[in-house]
Amino acid sequence: MVMDKLGESLQNALRKLVGANRIDENVVNEVVRDIQRALLTSDVNVQLVMSMSKRIKDRALKEELPKGRDPRDHVVKIVYEEMVSIMGKSAEIQLKPQTIMMVGLQGSGKTTTISKLCRYFQKKGLKPAVIGADNFRPGAYQQLKTLCDKLNVPMYGEENEKDAVGIVTRGMKSIEKYEVKIIDTAGRHALEADLIEEMENINAVLKPDHKFLVMDAAIGQLAGQQAKAFNDAIGITGIIITKLDGTAKGGGALSAVSETKAPIAFIGTGETSADFERFDPDGFISRLLGMGDIKALIERVEGSISPEDVDVDKIMKGRFTLNDMYSQMEAMNKMGPLKQIMQMLPGGLGGLKLSDKQLEETKQRMDSYKVIMDSMTENEKNDPKIINASRIARISMGSGRPQEDVRELLKYYKTMQTAFKTMSGKAGGRSLQKFARKGAMNDVFKNM
Ligand SMILES: Nc1nc2c(ncn2[C@@H]2O[C@H](COP(=O)(O)OP(=O)(O)OP(=O)(O)O)[C@@H](O)[C@H]2O)c(=O)[nH]1
Ligand SMILES: [Mg+2]
């Protein structure tokens, strides 16, 4: 994963939170300290880290807990929101014919990023073409040509021609009929007068819709100053941060540009044209925090899981069928890797430490249960009582699983059914609903 060190430290911090018995000042302070350390190591600006920590603490301890929400989830949500708020904004990219000029310092990744952009637009059904206007670095023409050839993208260039503006003018005629025109320009080791002048000249003839500044993530928070300098010089419409895969300073680069006017358009996460994605702060942070889709997860924990997923009413009446169990497994699968869900779930499960091997076995077991259930009839799934020895034999044949696996599934189903029945007898609706949502999965693990 990109920025996995930062991700790991943040996830460890959140795990403490999720595993805590209750949320109090001590827990919040400890978690915030961990988050601070993680962000500072990732080169996020100290001031930014401090003001964010203060907001997390204030909100976690003072904000009124929305009705029915688990305090742990509330704090997780606060951390998530505050993390999103310190990241740069996402730039809008329209899927229509457009001209894009690439600028940036030497070696920042402009040329490589062009091939990534071509692939991005190709996949969106738009035809890209490229002009190589880097007349500064020897070999620049050939590098771009090779990348474009791989993607079957036409490239206009003039080897050994020194006049970049001339190349651009002639190039624009040559690739006139293409929808997305991308222009590569030369990099320099610093933003000097001659680079600014060349950018201005190309800018003047090209009048591009987008001017993308390409920056290497390894510069960390210096990305802020660089973005500002380029923006002041020619006006940037979007930023592309590259090489997020190769540095621990990515957090610094991503957060530093949030101060500048230019939003982040894309991020580069590797050397091939596929290692590229639109920058989306929400998705990015939720992945970084290891939450898969944190929103879905929190909603689930908050109790708003969709009725199709688990029919709580039915379960409350004591009719918990194999179909319900199946839906529950499906719902779990939809939510992403088991491990992430476990880390997120409050109470019991969050504290249950299962090894990767155990988790893998559990997942395989659940997958196998699904295969077995696929070989059952609707009647059998709705009324598992009727599954006798001959039916077991048939289901085993149909699913290609040993009969003992079918028996084990039925046994597991019975355990859960009994648990539901007991709950609906003793407890009120709320606790049963909670059980239906979380507790049942607890059983999955305890029984295995
Ligand atoms: N790991 C990794 N490497 C990248 C990424 N983007 C670019 N690179 C590498 O960075 C190096 C420089 O990339 P270029 O695309 O040539 O950079 P440039 O800005 O065009 O360089 P100049 O034309 O010399 O200014 C190459 O070795 C690329 O493979 C990325 O997202 N991840
Ligand atoms: Mg280049």
Side-chain angles (χ1 to χ4, degrees), residues 19 25 27 41 109 118 121 150 166 198 217 235 242 260 263 289 371 390 409:
E25 203 169 338
V27 173
T41 310
C118 286
F121 284 111
K150 266 194 210 148
E198 187 182 277
T242 63
T260 67
L289 298 183
V371 172
S390 73
L409 161 68

Side-chain angles (χ1 to χ4, degrees), residues 9 17 40 81 84 86 151 156 160 181 233 251 263 371 406 435:
S9 323
L17 188 70
L40 291 173
E81 285 168 3
V84 171
I86 66 163
L151 294 167
Y156 181 89
N160 305 322
K181 304 176 181 75
V371 172
V406 183
F435 180 80

